[in-house]
Amino acid sequence: MSETLLLYTRAGCPLCEDMEAEVGALIVRAGHRLVLVDVDGDPSLRQKYGWDVPLLFDGDTEICRHQLDLPAFQAWLSAHP
């Protein structure tokens, strides 16, 4: 079953761009989707996360923040084939 991951990001963030590329490459074979959410586009998200991006979520569950935590992400992939 295909899952949708949320990547909270902001424009001009090199860490965000890196995580987007890394996660995108890892999920393409599994058929999962990556949806980018610009925290600056929503005042409540901007207040909640501030500069604390990128953040990768599965629904309300945080997988990793700031950089790809490969063991945590691989565990998520194993649980969501």
Side-chain angles (χ1 to χ4, degrees):
M1 175 163 57
S2 177
E3 300 283 337
T4 299
L5 295 169
L6 299 177
L7 180 60
Y8 292 95
T9 184
R10 71 171 18 97
C13 169
L15 292 175
C16 300
E17 293 166 3
D18 289 348
M19 191 180 292
E20 177 186 0
E22 292 170 326
V23 170
L26 292 169
I27 65 172
V28 70
R29 289 182 297 268
H32 301 308
R33 286 183 355 120
L34 182 63
V35 175
L36 303 181
V37 179
D38 184 354
V39 296
D40 292 327
D42 181 331
S44 65
L45 290 177
R46 185 173 186 176
Q47 182 171 349
K48 183 175 183 177
Y49 297 121
W51 291 101
D52 205 16
V53 292
L55 299 122
L56 183 64
F57 276 80
D58 174 13
D60 293 331
T61 303
E62 182 179 325
I63 300 170
C64 54
R65 66 175 57 209
H66 301 153
Q67 61 186 15
L68 181 62
D69 179 340
L70 193 53
F73 190 67
Q74 287 174 329
W76 182 89
L77 279 174
S78 293
H80 301 87

